[in-house]
């Protein structure tokens, strides 16, 4: 398995191009199942989860072409299989996003329950309850969700009230509702920018979605959806990660092709902590640390538009270099502090009580061999390695490859001393040619 070898102490300086949002591309790829016509997606990040999602669609019978590395041209005209298998879903839970589209277009779907992952049990009970409100019959058989639309194979519009905000739950039922008979209202919908991006694609395909990005989404079902072309929004979590990278190394970066408005709460929190961030224009951020250094600031993770859980680990790394005590409270996932124990091995002063981590800074971090446990924990350890004294080896970086495109190349281009140590062929992303880039 690949590792990153990092020598800390370098101040990052230069320009970083932000890629497309993994968590928007994943539902948008699944949305292509809603039509037999061609759906073209641009600015799709070349990361492992996207390759996995594309392969799932191909296993179902769709054609997925990549005329360029970050462009997907998908045609789901010949879907012959309606099942997302366990061995795939357990590696990437976002594959449950094929459930809503398959059920809506074909009246049937069989999707493995995803099982838990490093950060939590990750149930999909809310997805299933929501689909039942659209008339779906749902049963659990040998670890699989078996869903049917009993009314002539078509879902019926209805009212969905989510007890808890769920991003992919909102996305699954939003996609299903586009082809349901009649009107659907989704209450307590997730408000993440990726929801609005998915709705924009669906409306380009001929859907009638209103209110995406607000807590209430209304969908008037249509008979068919058609071809569309769409550009995926920039990745707000990659943006936040590089904002932290500039701040933690006392460097200065310009982030291009980002969307500052999607990172408003992260920018506000970092500014409170002493990071100087200028919104140069609608797609460019300029960031550097203030002369006085960083100040500890508390944060609580909550659904958008509050502070994102996907930035919690990166923020924790930054707070080890901030003067004072910060309390980081994780309210979304039950087990998302695993990076803390690896940070402690680097000398960080972090104590955990329940769902709150208390970080005391400023601590000198010392390079060490550390192990990544999940996608965002990996990013946290890379950030720590950038500021630690000596060498840090981050193991199991296949986690980071799931959601960051060539992060070591982007960091090296702005002065980081980081290299990928390839441990085996299997752990690497397939060469572009192998994934059908013509
Ligand atoms: C999405 O996961 C993101 N993944 C996650 O990003 C992100 O951390 C999460 O939303 C929260 O923002 C994608 O978009 C592909 P949820 P999702 O359903 O949809 C509970 C990353 O690092 N819940 O909003 O799976 C759940 O256990 C990944 O890019 C239920 O109880 O998250 C959690 O506690 C990690 N029942 C909370 O709700 C359900 O049916 C929020 O989960 C669904 C969720």
């Amino acid at each position: 398995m690949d590792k990153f070898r990092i020598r800390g102490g370098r101040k990052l300086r230069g320009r970083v191009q932000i890629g497309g949002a993994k968590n928007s591309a994943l539902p948008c790829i699944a949305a292509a199942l809603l039509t037999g016509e061609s759906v073209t997606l641009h600015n799709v990040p070349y990361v492992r989860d996207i390759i996995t999602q594309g392969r799932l669609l191909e296993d179902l019978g769709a054609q997925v072409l990549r005329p360029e590395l970050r462009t997907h041209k998908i045609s789901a005209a010949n879907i012959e299989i309606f099942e997302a298998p366990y061995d795939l879903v357990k590696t990437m839970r976002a594959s449950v996003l094929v459930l809503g589209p398959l059920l809506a277009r074909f009246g049937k779907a069989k999707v493995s329950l995803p099982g838990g992952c490093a950060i939590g049990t990750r149930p999909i009970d809310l997805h299933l309850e929501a689909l039942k409100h659209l008339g779906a019959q749902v049963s659990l058989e040998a670890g699989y969700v078996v869903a049917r639309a009993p009314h002539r194979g078509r879902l019926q519009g209805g009212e969905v009230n989510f007890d808890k905000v769920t991003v992919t739950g909102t996305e699954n039922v939003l996609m299903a509702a586009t082809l349901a008979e009649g009107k659907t209202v989704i209450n307590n919908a997730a408000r993440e920018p990726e929801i609005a991006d998915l709705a924009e694609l669906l409306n380009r395909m001929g859907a009638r979605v209103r209110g995406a990005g607000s807590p209430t989404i209304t969908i008037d079902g249509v008979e068919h959806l058609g071809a569309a072309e769409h550009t995926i929004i920039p990745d707000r979590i990659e943006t936040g990660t590089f904002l932290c990278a500039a701040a933690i190394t006392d460097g200065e970066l310009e982030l291009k092709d980002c969307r500052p408005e999607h990172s408003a709460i992260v920018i506000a929190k970092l500014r409170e902590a002493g990071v100087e961030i200028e919104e140069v224009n609608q797609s460019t951020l300029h960031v550097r640390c203030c002369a006085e250094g960083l100040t500890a600031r508390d944060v609580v993770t909550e659904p958008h538009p509050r502070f994102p859980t996907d930035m919690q680990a990166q923020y924790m790394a930054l707070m080890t270099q901030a003067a004072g005590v910060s309390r980081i409270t994780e309210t979304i996932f039950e087990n998302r502090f695993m990076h803390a124990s690896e940070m402690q091995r680097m000398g960080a002063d972090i104590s955990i009580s329940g769902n709150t981590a208390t970080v005391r800074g400023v601590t000198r971090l010392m390079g060490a061999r550390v192990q990544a446990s999940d996608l965002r924990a990996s990013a946290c350890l890379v950030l720590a390695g950038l500021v630690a004294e000596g060498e840090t080896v981050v193991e199991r970086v296949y986690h980071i490859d799931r959601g960051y495109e060539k992060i070591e190349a982007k960091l090296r281009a702005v002065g980081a001393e980081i290299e990928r140590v390839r441990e085996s062929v299997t752990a690497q992303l397939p060469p572009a040619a192998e994934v059908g880039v013509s």
Side-chain angles (χ1 to χ4, degrees):
M1 285 180 265
D2 288 9
K3 302 173 184 174
F4 283 160
R5 194 188 303 280
I6 307 168
R7 292 202 68 81
R10 308 285 290 268
K11 295 188 176 190
L12 303 189
R13 291 206 188 298
R15 177 176 295 179
V16 175
Q17 184 167 12
I18 299 301
K22 162 183 83 85
N23 289 349
S24 179
L26 288 168
C28 287
I29 289 169
L33 290 169
L34 290 163
T35 178
E37 298 178 36
S38 173
V39 173
T40 300
L41 302 172
H42 299 287
N43 200 33
V44 178
Y46 182 53
V47 297
R48 182 179 297 281
D49 277 7
I50 295 300
I51 294 167
T52 305
Q53 194 82 321
R55 283 191 174 150
L56 170 57
L57 259 70
E58 288 172 327
D59 291 349
L60 300 177
Q63 182 190 55
V64 181
L65 298 178
R66 292 174 188 79
E68 292 160 20
L69 187 62
R70 299 181 187 89
T71 296
H72 281 48
K73 190 175 168 80
I74 304 168
S75 165
N78 304 312
I79 297 297
E80 295 142 357
I81 295 174
F82 308 94
E83 177 175 333
Y86 173 64
D87 55 8
L88 190 142
V89 176
K90 77 174 186 297
T91 60
M92 187 189 67
R93 56 175 278 99
S95 33
V96 296
L97 285 166
V98 302
L99 176 59
L102 287 175
L103 185 57
R105 181 164 164 226
F106 301 103
K108 57 186 176 184
K110 184 178 179 184
V111 175
S112 170
L113 282 166
C117 72
I119 62 178
T121 52
R122 311 295 295 276
I124 59 168
D125 55 313
L126 299 174
H127 299 231
L128 305 182
E129 280 313 301
L131 291 171
K132 286 178 187 171
H133 280 89
L134 300 192
Q137 272 178 356
V138 177
S139 61
L140 297 186
E141 296 170 22
Y144 279 75
V145 170
V146 178
R148 289 194 172 284
H151 306 287
R152 303 185 309 283
R154 195 169 178 204
L155 293 173
Q156 308 298 307
E159 183 148 6
V160 171
N161 298 294
F162 280 117
D163 294 337
K164 190 180 212 183
V165 173
T166 163
V167 173
T168 48
T170 299
E171 290 164 345
N172 240 335
V173 75
L174 168 57
M175 290 188 282
T178 57
L179 291 178
E181 200 165 22
K183 177 176 174 179
T184 295
V185 177
I186 304 173
N187 297 310
N188 198 25
R191 301 168 58 187
E192 274 67 7
E194 292 76 31
I195 306 280
D197 202 35
L198 171 63
E200 187 174 327
L201 166 63
L202 293 170
N203 285 339
R204 288 186 178 174
M205 292 168 69
R208 295 169 59 194
V209 180
R210 300 186 306 282
S214 82
T216 303
I217 303 176
T218 303
I219 307 103
D220 294 314
V222 295
E223 295 282 333
H224 298 287
L225 293 180
E229 195 155 356
H230 178 69
T231 298
I232 301 293
I233 55 171
D235 193 315
R236 60 194 168 95
I237 306 302
E238 184 185 27
T239 301
T241 303
F242 277 98
L243 289 173
C244 290
I248 204 169
T249 60
D250 191 19
E252 186 165 357
L253 291 177
E254 183 173 81
L255 305 189
K256 298 294 291 177
D257 296 342
C258 61
R259 185 77 63 83
E261 66 185 288
H262 291 166
S263 299
I265 189 74
V266 171
I267 291 169
K269 181 54 69 176
L270 294 178
R271 281 172 172 161
E272 276 179 38
V275 184
E276 290 181 7
I277 301 173
E278 180 196 350
E279 295 182 28
V280 176
N281 57 44
Q282 287 180 338
S283 62
T284 308
L285 286 167
H286 189 268
V287 52
R288 65 180 175 197
C289 204
C290 67
E292 301 74 39
L294 297 165
T295 306
R297 281 286 181 273
D298 296 351
V299 79
V300 178
T301 67
E302 293 172 287
H304 193 81
R306 304 303 301 157
F307 194 90
T309 176
D310 291 349
M311 278 298 303
Q312 180 256 107
Q314 300 90 310
Y315 185 77
M316 188 183 290
L318 188 64
M319 285 298 102
T320 66
Q321 304 308 302
V325 179
S326 57
R327 273 167 296 280
I328 300 171
T329 303
E330 172 59 57
T331 70
I332 306 294
F333 291 111
E334 65 266 32
N335 188 35
R336 204 169 196 177
F337 282 146
M338 282 172 298
H339 42 283
S341 50
E342 293 302 290
M343 297 279 294
Q344 287 163 342
R345 297 182 56 246
M346 298 175 74
D349 182 348
I350 303 170
S351 57
I352 308 284
S353 171
N355 67 342
T356 297
T358 300
V359 183
R360 286 174 177 78
V362 178
T363 49
R364 274 179 57 213
L365 298 182
M366 308 308 290
R369 268 182 66 187
V370 289
Q371 223 163 65
S373 53
D374 61 85
L375 170 56
R376 307 305 174 181
S378 318
C380 162
L381 297 174
V382 169
L383 292 174
L386 292 174
V387 71
E389 285 185 31
E391 181 178 85
T392 298
V393 176
V394 181
E395 300 184 337
R396 301 188 176 185
V397 291
Y398 62 84
H399 287 294
I400 210 165
D401 291 335
R402 294 189 55 171
Y404 289 91
E405 184 177 338
K406 294 195 178 67
I407 192 169
E408 75 273 19
K410 291 188 178 183
L411 287 167
R412 207 168 32 244
V414 290
E417 206 173 325
I418 179 172
E419 62 167 338
R420 180 184 289 260
V421 179
R422 292 202 182 284
E423 291 291 276
S424 72
V425 173
T426 52
Q428 298 162 31
L429 287 184
E434 262 189 34
V435 293
V437 177
S438 53

